[in-house]
């Protein structure tokens, strides 16, 4: 990551990172305990192709958001417990490495969940969970990145959350570009987003449970867990 830029943003609210926006993005919520950011996009690639690309972060995770400055040093073992890691080339004292995150959940074509506090967040007492969801659509696949961060940190949440939001959005954009580029939202999706925005007061902070409405194309990316039947019906 451009870790210096994020740290600077945490210190100064005027610092920022350039980003060409994905289809939809926002800081979903934030408090003194942490924050959540979410980004969505659509691509003309199959879920299988998306999963294949996810396993090759060297092709889509930005080199500007690395410790070595070279995306070729990234690798990802996509099975549970696997490492999203980066090699630090030998500069005279030996080869080093960085664990950006570890895999918690891997279901090809549907979901990849990573646990890791990225960039300067790594030096804080934080937990970060990045959930990458995939859903097949008539034109390819809908993608969604949710990054949830919580714990203790020396940064101000109000400053660091927007900076991290931009960085996560940049990675989704990189993934979309590696898959041929993000598709523009459909007319129906634009109308749904406009209707949702008009229905909510400008000062309202949407609760986490409402967040599936962030993008109509990914509203049901992951099905709800089946509810247990009442005792009397068993």
């Amino acid at each position: 990551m451009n870790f210096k830029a994020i740290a600077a943003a945490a210190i100064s609210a005027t610092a920022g990172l350039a980003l060409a926006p994905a289809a939809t993005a926002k800081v979903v919520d934030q408090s003194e305990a942490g924050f959540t950011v979410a980004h969505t996009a659509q691509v003309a690639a199959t879920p299988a192709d998306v999963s294949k690309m996810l396993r090759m972060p060297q092709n889509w995770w930005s080199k500007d958001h690395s410790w070595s400055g070279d995306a070729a040093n990234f690798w990802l073992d996509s099975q549970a417990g696997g490492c999203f890691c980066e090699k630090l080339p030998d500069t005279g004292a030996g080869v080093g490495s960085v664990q950006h995150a570890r895999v918690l959940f891997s279901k090809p074509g549907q979901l990849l969940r990573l646990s890791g506090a990225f960039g300067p967040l790594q030096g804080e007492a934080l937990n970060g969970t990045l959930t990458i969801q995939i859903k097949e659509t008539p034109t390819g696949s809908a993608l969604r990145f949710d990054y949830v961060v919580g714990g203790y940190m020396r940064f101000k949440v109000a400053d660091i959350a927007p900076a991290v939001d931009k960085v996560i959005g940049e990675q989704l954009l990189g993934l979309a570009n590696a898959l041929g580029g993000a598709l523009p939202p459909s007319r129906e999706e634009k109308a749904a987003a406009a209707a949702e925005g008009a229905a909510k007061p400008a000062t309202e902070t949407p609760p986490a449970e409402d967040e599936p409405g962030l993008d109509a194309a990914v509203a049901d990316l992951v099905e709800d867990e089946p509810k247990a039947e009442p005792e009397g019906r068993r």
Side-chain angles (χ1 to χ4, degrees):
M1 292 187 168
N2 189 343
F3 301 137
K4 293 181 180 178
I6 300 178
I11 296 171
S12 172
T14 60
L17 301 176
L19 171 69
T24 312
K26 70 163 91 171
V27 176
V28 176
D29 56 30
Q30 64 182 51
S31 71
E32 292 183 358
F35 58 91
T36 301
V37 302
H39 290 254
T40 66
Q42 296 188 62
V43 295
T46 67
D49 286 337
V50 174
S51 287
K52 182 178 179 180
M53 185 61 70
L54 282 172
R55 296 194 295 270
M56 299 183 288
Q58 67 272 22
N59 291 342
W60 59 273
W61 195 277
S62 173
K63 68 180 179 62
D64 294 330
H65 305 307
S66 69
W67 294 100
S68 66
D70 187 349
N73 291 317
F74 291 127
W75 82 87
L76 174 67
D77 176 356
S78 60
Q79 294 303 310
C83 187
F84 169 27
C85 291
E86 179 183 355
K87 179 180 70 175
L88 301 180
D90 187 355
T91 57
V95 175
S97 60
V98 179
Q99 176 181 282
H100 290 277
R102 69 181 186 279
V103 177
L104 297 177
F105 192 111
S106 178
K107 192 170 185 180
Q110 295 186 39
L111 188 145
L112 179 66
R113 178 171 291 129
L114 306 168
S115 175
F118 297 119
L121 303 182
Q122 187 183 77
E124 308 302 305
L126 293 170
N127 289 317
T129 303
L130 175 63
T131 299
I132 301 173
Q133 302 176 69
I134 310 165
K135 182 183 177 181
E136 186 174 11
T137 68
T139 56
S141 299
L143 312 176
R144 175 165 169 154
F145 280 24
D146 286 89
Y147 190 46
V148 183
V149 178
Y152 175 78
M153 62 179 165
R154 293 163 290 183
F155 302 129
K156 292 181 179 180
V157 172
D159 292 342
I160 197 69
V164 172
D165 177 56
K166 291 179 181 179
V167 169
I168 295 300
E170 185 175 346
Q171 307 324 305
L172 175 55
L173 185 63
L175 176 61
N177 287 339
L179 291 164
L183 299 176
S186 67
R187 182 179 302 174
E188 291 77 10
E189 290 157 3
K190 289 180 179 178
E196 180 185 0
K200 294 182 179 180
T203 57
E204 179 183 352
T205 298
E209 58 267 28
D210 289 344
E211 190 51 30
L214 182 65
D215 186 321
V218 291
D220 58 346
L221 277 170
V222 175
E223 296 180 358
D224 293 336
E225 292 292 330
K227 296 181 174 60
E229 294 183 9
E231 291 289 339
R233 296 185 181 178
R234 292 181 180 175

